[in-house]
């Protein structure tokens, strides 16, 4: 277990240097269009404010690649954050001026540094700690609340924690680690994982690691067709990774050895026009005609998926089961989420992890319908694979 801000004791008047993930979408007028990530850090900000700490936030926006590019400025985010916090957030346009400006911060006041990725040293792969030492001067202790960037071995996410102590997690980071760890390491059974998405290759680590932990694994989305082809089925024009066919066979073999029930779609919705405006029909998953591709779980499969989910006590979803971005191909993913919501109401623990699953969960349900919706796409994926996240490893142990 890692230490969190709750383990710090008296921090009144102390400077908290806090890495957050407020990489939010902006429209062409630089207005925030989705503030989920901002709302997610508020418990940490409110905790530090109540304790009378001076709060200096570090964050990134997009990929400016080590250049000061006005397109990626955090200034509009500072303005929006001021509204959420209820008082002006001091915006610091340059790290070099930060020390001077921070001297004026009052207890409980919040400042935000300009995009930390404006500086090449932030993403540098070397062991040079110059930038980390410069940033360390800005705080009395370090807080990492950016789970979404915890898989990055960057200065503000990992190196800084080695030079500025104590180095602790914020409340969001603590919740992410607790919910994901509990699902993976101490699940109430039966434990079911839904693994979807387009490619087997991007989910090999997830499939491998979860086979050691789950009772049931639902495999959906584009990756299913590689499994179908591995078993000699006809998949028409469906997405398939021929170089992963042996991997699919090995996963099926390992599941059988471990006694894990693999739940695959038996029927699918296919189309001859990915925009959805052509012929859309249901067929058996291993009999997809030429010129057609599978885009969603079929009616029979949706029911089979839902039955497994409703009888589960722990559920982890990582990837949708169809091309849900198109409303015509969204029913399968909708039904899966509906079943997870129902299971959660009946006492199951449900964790939604990974970018596309989170988008789908937001689209077709409410965050509070699940036990936990992860804020980190890449980070939750690596965590589920069993990888060590640099931003977590660098924090102080309890």
């Amino acid at each position: 277990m890692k230490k969190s801000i709750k383990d710090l004791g008296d921090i009144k008047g102390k400077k908290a240097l806090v890495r957050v993930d407020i990489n939010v979408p902006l429209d062409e007028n630089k207005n925030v269009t989705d503030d989920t990530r901002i709302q997610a850090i508020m418990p940490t900000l409110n905790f530090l404010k109540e304790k009378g700490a001076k709060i200096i936030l570090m964050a990134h926006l997009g990929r400016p690649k080590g250049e000061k590019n006005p397109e990626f400025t955090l200034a509009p985010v500072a303005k929006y954050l001021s509204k959420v916090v209820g008082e002006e957030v001091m915006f610091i346009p340059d790290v070099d001026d930060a020390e001077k400006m921070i001297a004026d911060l009052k207890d409980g006041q919040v400042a935000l540094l300009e995009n930390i990725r404006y500086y090449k040293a932030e993403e540098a792969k070397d062991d040079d700690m110059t930038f980390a030492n410069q940033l360390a001067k800005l705080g009395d202790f370090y807080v990492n609340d950016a789970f979404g960037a915890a898989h990055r071995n960057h200065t503000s996410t990992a190196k800084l924690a080695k030079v500025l102590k104590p180095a602790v997690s914020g409340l969001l980071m603590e919740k992410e680690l607790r919910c994901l760890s509990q699902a993976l390491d101490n699940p109430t059974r039966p434990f079911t994982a839904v693994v979807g998405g387009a490619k087997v290759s991007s989910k090999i680590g997830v499939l491998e690691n979860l086979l050691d932990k789950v009772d049931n694994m639902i495999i959906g989305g584009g990756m299913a067709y590689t499994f179908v082809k591995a078993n000699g089925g006809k998949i028409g024009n469906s997405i398939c990774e021929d170089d992963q066919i042996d991997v699919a066979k090995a996963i099926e073999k390992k599941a059988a050895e471990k006694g894990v029930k693999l739940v695959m779609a038996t029927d699918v919705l296919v189309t001859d026009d990915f925009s959805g405006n052509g012929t859309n029909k249901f067929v058996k998953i291993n009999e997809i005609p030429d010129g057609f591709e599978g885009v969603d779980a079929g009616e029979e499969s949706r029911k089979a998926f839902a039955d497994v989910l409703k009888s589960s006590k722990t559920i982890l979803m990582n990837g949708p089961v169809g091309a849900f971005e198109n409303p015509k191909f969204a029913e399968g993913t909708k039904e899966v989420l509906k079943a997870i919501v129902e299971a959660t109401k009946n006492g199951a623990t449900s964790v939604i992890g990974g970018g596309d699953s989170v988008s789908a969960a937001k689209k077709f349900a409410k965050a509070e319908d699940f036990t936990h919706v992860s804020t980190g796409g890449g980070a939750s994926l690596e965590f589920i694979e069993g990888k060590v996240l640099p931003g977590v490893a660098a924090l102080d142990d309890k």
Side-chain angles (χ1 to χ4, degrees), residues 285-356:
I285 196 164
N286 53 2
E287 294 173 11
I288 299 173
D290 291 339
F292 282 82
E293 61 181 311
V295 284
D296 194 11
E299 290 172 319
E300 198 180 280
S301 306
R302 292 169 201 169
K303 189 183 175 315
F305 292 171
D307 287 347
V308 173
L309 289 164
K310 286 177 195 170
S311 63
S312 302
K313 285 290 169 226
T314 302
I315 299 164
L316 177 66
M317 181 176 180
N318 188 268
V321 298
F324 75 93
E325 296 82 356
N326 185 328
K328 291 180 180 172
F329 309 146
E331 281 310 309
T333 300
K334 250 192 230 176
E335 290 294 321
V336 162
L337 286 162
K338 201 167 124 188
I340 296 174
V341 170
E342 194 174 313
T344 311
K345 279 195 184 119
N346 292 328
T349 297
S350 57
V351 178
I352 312 289
D356 286 342

Side-chain angles (χ1 to χ4, degrees), residues 95-152:
V95 164
D96 295 333
D97 304 329
E99 238 179 313
K100 281 206 305 282
M101 293 180 72
I102 287 165
D104 298 330
L105 270 188
K106 296 180 177 57
D107 294 359
Q109 205 183 345
V110 183
L112 172 64
L113 290 176
E114 179 56 284
N115 194 335
I116 201 75
R117 288 191 183 168
Y118 274 10
Y119 305 91
K120 276 202 167 51
E122 163 66 2
E123 298 179 72
K125 299 275 192 284
D126 55 37
D127 296 326
D128 187 349
M129 299 297 271
T130 314
F131 190 48
N133 287 319
Q134 182 187 357
L135 291 172
K137 287 184 187 153
L138 308 179
D140 296 312
F141 61 95
Y142 171 76
V143 180
N144 193 342
D145 210 28
F147 180 73
H151 58 312
R152 306 278 184 215

Side-chain angles (χ1 to χ4, degrees), residues 36-100:
T36 307
R37 285 178 166 168
I38 288 172
Q39 295 300 338
I41 64 164
M42 288 313 294
T44 295
L45 289 198
N46 291 332
F47 181 94
L48 292 168
K49 278 173 80 64
E50 279 162 27
K51 295 278 185 199
K54 298 168 180 184
I55 304 154
I56 302 104
L57 303 177
M58 299 172 292
H60 73 279
L61 186 72
R63 295 173 188 246
K65 301 192 169 136
E67 314 247 313
K68 294 184 177 178
N69 181 340
E71 192 193 326
F72 298 108
T73 177
L74 277 167
V77 181
K79 207 164 105 184
Y80 188 91
L81 192 57
S82 301
K83 279 197 294 216
V84 179
V85 173
E87 58 189 70
E88 195 184 344
V89 168
M90 178 196 285
F91 183 62
I92 301 172
D94 198 307
V95 164
D96 295 333
D97 304 329
E99 238 179 313
K100 281 206 305 282

Side-chain angles (χ1 to χ4, degrees), residues 84 96 99 113 176 195 218 241 246 348 357:
V84 179
D96 295 333
E99 238 179 313
L113 290 176
E176 290 272 10
V195 185
I218 294 171
E241 294 176 284
D246 289 345
S357 332

Side-chain angles (χ1 to χ4, degrees), residues 19 23 60 63 117 122-125 142 144 146-159 377-379 382 388-392 394:
R19 178 58 159 99
N23 186 20
H60 73 279
R63 295 173 188 246
R117 288 191 183 168
E122 163 66 2
E123 298 179 72
K125 299 275 192 284
Y142 171 76
N144 193 342
F147 180 73
H151 58 312
R152 306 278 184 215
N153 192 12
H154 292 169
T155 297
S156 68
T157 55
K159 286 183 188 175
E382 291 195 15
V388 172
L389 305 182
V392 176

Side-chain angles (χ1 to χ4, degrees), residues 341 345 352 360-371 373:
V341 170
K345 279 195 184 119
I352 312 289
K362 275 201 220 152
K363 200 169 175 178
F364 305 127
K366 296 193 293 290
E368 51 272 26
D369 292 335
F370 309 98
T371 310
V373 178

